Amino acid sequence: MDLNRKYYACSVCKPGEDYCKDNFQRMIDANGYVLHANTTQKGTFSDIQIDDILLLKYNYRFVAYGVVIEKKITTDTEWNHWAYVKNWIFKDELNKQDGTSTSGIAPNTEGGGPYGTVKTIDNDFGIQKIKEINITSSLYNLLMLEIQHSTNLLVMQKKIEILKFKNQIILQGPPGTGKTRMAKLIAEELTKGKNIGSPKQKIDDFFKSHLNASEETKKKRIEFSQLLQEFQNKFKKEDLKNLSLEAYAFGKSDNDSFCYWLEYVLWDLGLYSGQAGKFKIFWKKDIGGYSKIGFLKN
């Protein structure tokens, strides 16, 4: 079920031109809509996607509609821009030129302009014209189900917004109007889990953002890398167990100890957080010596 379909009015030809009849038959035979390679006003043909709906316009009438199943440019040098449909659903299978008026198309054109051979039209206008062409097809029934589903979603979302604001709502209406079903749908919507993506997707997204970083961010990364390298060279891990108190603790005026680097110099690389005495030992000026905290006092 596709709730994002777009609707297109597709002209077979410019009325009165000598190629009209042949082109109309070409589209009937191939179950598709086609443009000539040299058509200058192709309109929004390039926007057409699979599952969109085409309304075929011939001699100032909408004569058929169909759902797009394939789109391609063939090797033909002339009539080669194709949008194939599952099948054309005509107003009259015996008289395929019969149709319904295109009246109202101008104010309901959303793309393609007044001279576009293909025009994007308002969905409601497209549905109305489809109703006038043929309401007996399975495609028409599917479109009606989609519209009903979309309407139910809008109604449900409005009720959810009210529910979040007021914490309770009363669904009113006579028996058989769908109150119980609506209540279940609302409950499912409120309790369904949120898809935040798989671990693999998150890792992929992280590396994509890393590769696409701004120049300022890349410059900062270089600075941080150099700073970390300086720290690792100054305090090699194999030497840490032999650090003197002066090299480890901070509080003296030289500000170049291991703890000082962790607390202040490497600030932008991440914090070693905790209580004020997290380093367990520091130089205390008022006693002129080192003060011990926690287990070091024992």
Side-chain angles (χ1 to χ4, degrees):
M1 190 173 289
D2 189 347
L3 300 180
N4 298 308
R5 298 183 196 271
K6 289 186 177 181
Y7 291 71
Y8 296 88
C10 303
S11 297
V12 172
C13 61
K14 184 177 180 181
E17 295 293 327
D18 56 7
Y19 67 90
C20 286
K21 187 176 180 179
D22 288 344
N23 204 33
F24 187 41
Q25 191 61 49
R26 181 183 291 112
M27 295 180 191
I28 293 172
D29 294 341
N31 268 331
Y33 177 74
V34 66
L35 285 178
H36 195 283
N38 296 330
T39 300
T40 56
Q41 298 286 348
K42 291 184 175 67
T44 53
F45 178 85
S46 62
D47 295 340
I48 295 173
Q49 302 290 326
I50 305 301
D51 290 331
D52 284 342
I53 304 296
L54 306 186
L55 283 84
L56 199 58
K57 181 172 170 281
Y58 184 57
N59 285 339
Y60 302 107
R61 289 179 175 273
F62 287 124
V63 298
Y65 63 91
V67 59
V68 178
I69 59 171
E70 184 183 7
K71 184 183 174 189
K72 67 179 181 180
I73 297 177
T74 67
T75 56
D76 192 294
T77 57
E78 296 183 335
W79 299 98
N80 57 12
H81 285 60
W82 280 96
Y84 295 100
V85 297
K86 185 176 181 181
N87 60 283
W88 286 120
I89 300 162
F90 287 91
K91 182 176 177 64
D92 186 343
E93 282 290 340
L94 297 178
N95 178 17
K96 291 182 170 59
Q97 295 186 32
D98 188 18
T100 187
S101 170
T102 61
S103 175
I105 191 172
N108 287 290
T109 294
E110 297 181 345
Y115 304 111
T117 308
V118 176
K119 304 177 190 292
T120 309
I121 55 176
D122 175 76
N123 286 19
D124 291 340
F125 177 74
I127 286 292
Q128 180 56 46
K129 292 304 173 182
I130 284 174
K131 287 180 179 179
E132 295 172 12
I133 295 170
N134 189 317
I135 61 172
T136 64
S137 70
S138 59
L139 176 55
Y140 171 79
N141 291 332
L142 175 61
L143 295 176
M144 292 303 101
L145 284 174
E146 289 181 355
I147 292 171
Q148 184 60 53
H149 182 63
S150 179
T151 301
N152 289 342
L153 283 178
L154 289 174
V155 171
M156 183 178 65
Q157 288 299 330
K158 288 181 179 179
K159 293 186 184 302
I160 288 175
E161 290 174 7
I162 295 172
L163 185 59
K164 288 180 178 179
F165 178 72
K166 299 184 67 175
N167 296 322
Q168 65 177 359
I169 56 173
I170 299 174
L171 299 177
Q172 296 179 322
T177 55
K179 299 187 297 297
T180 301
R181 183 172 181 276
M182 178 59 69
K184 289 181 179 179
L185 289 173
I186 291 173
E188 290 173 1
E189 182 67 20
L190 289 172
T191 57
K192 72 180 181 181
K194 182 179 180 182
N195 183 8
I196 59 174
S198 66
K200 181 180 181 302
Q201 183 61 51
K202 286 190 167 294
I203 292 171
D204 289 343
D205 291 344
F206 170 79
F207 281 109
K208 285 178 183 177
S209 65
H210 188 86
L211 293 172
N212 297 326
S214 66
E215 291 303 316
E216 182 63 26
T217 298
K218 291 177 181 178
K219 182 180 177 182
K220 281 290 184 183
R221 286 175 184 166
I222 294 173
E223 292 176 2
F224 292 161
S225 179
Q226 292 173 341
L227 188 63
L228 181 60
Q229 188 62 53
E230 184 179 350
F231 172 73
Q232 292 171 336
N233 291 337
K234 185 175 182 63
F235 300 101
K236 293 181 172 62
K237 62 180 181 180
E238 61 268 21
D239 297 335
L240 293 181
K241 63 182 179 180
N242 297 319
L243 278 182
S244 65
L245 280 175
E246 288 75 12
Y248 172 78
F250 65 163
K252 288 189 174 183
S253 59
D254 57 5
N255 290 337
D256 201 32
S257 66
F258 180 83
C259 293
Y260 182 82
W261 269 76
L262 289 182
E263 185 76 0
Y264 298 109
V265 183
L266 301 179
W267 177 280
D268 289 324
L269 276 70
L271 299 178
Y272 171 41
S273 60
Q275 73 277 15
K278 56 182 172 283
F279 295 116
K280 304 305 179 186
I281 186 168
F282 59 93
W283 177 263
K284 197 170 183 180
K285 292 181 180 179
D286 57 354
I287 66 172
Y290 291 100
S291 178
K292 301 175 183 179
I293 297 174
F295 65 87
L296 291 180
K297 294 178 70 174
N298 299 325

